Amino acid sequence: MRLALPAIVACAALTGCAAGQPGTHANESGGSSVSNSAAQPGPSGARPGPSAGQPGSSPVEDLPVPAPPTGAPGGPSRPGDLGTKPSAPMTLTGTVRAGVEPNCMLLDSYLLIGGPRDQLRDGARVTVTGRVQADLVTTCQQGTPFIVESAKSA
């Protein structure tokens, strides 16, 4: 009952707002309002289309449709393509630090993905070899993803 009362009040308020607008009416069952402004011709004989803020209009209808992706570097070239490939092999040396999310380890501005976690721990000085994969989605919220192929103490 505690949850039903606010829902009933909200529905009543919305129905009351729609009933007070010119060109709208509530259906017999007390359901949604319907605008008949598009069905009646205007002064010039043309039928006006729905405008923003009127029932039946949708701001989504007015938005431009984005162009499909092309074969541009770094972007998908066809459906199912994952985009960029990993970079050429790189070697990084530095001190590993913990990221803001659990189990996220960073070396400089790179997010270390994979590799031996016993060596890639907070505060360890290491040399890692791997590849950057900038389009990899992670939950770590920081760093450019770096796929670790090997790691050793520095």
Side-chain angles (χ1 to χ4, degrees), residues 91-153:
T91 300
L92 305 171
T93 300
T95 302
V96 177
R97 63 182 174 89
V100 296
E101 297 292 328
N103 301 317
C104 296
M105 294 295 158
L106 299 161
L107 182 61
D108 295 326
S109 63
Y110 295 99
L111 173 64
L112 302 176
I113 306 293
R117 288 296 165 178
D118 59 325
Q119 290 182 340
L120 301 177
R121 62 189 183 286
D122 191 25
R125 182 144 175 88
V126 296
T127 298
V128 295
T129 302
R131 299 171 186 268
V132 171
Q133 189 165 352
D135 66 342
L136 184 67
V137 177
T138 72
T139 59
C140 291
Q141 302 184 34
Q142 63 189 128
T144 302
F146 185 85
I147 310 298
V148 176
E149 295 171 357
S150 66
K152 62 181 181 180
S153 297

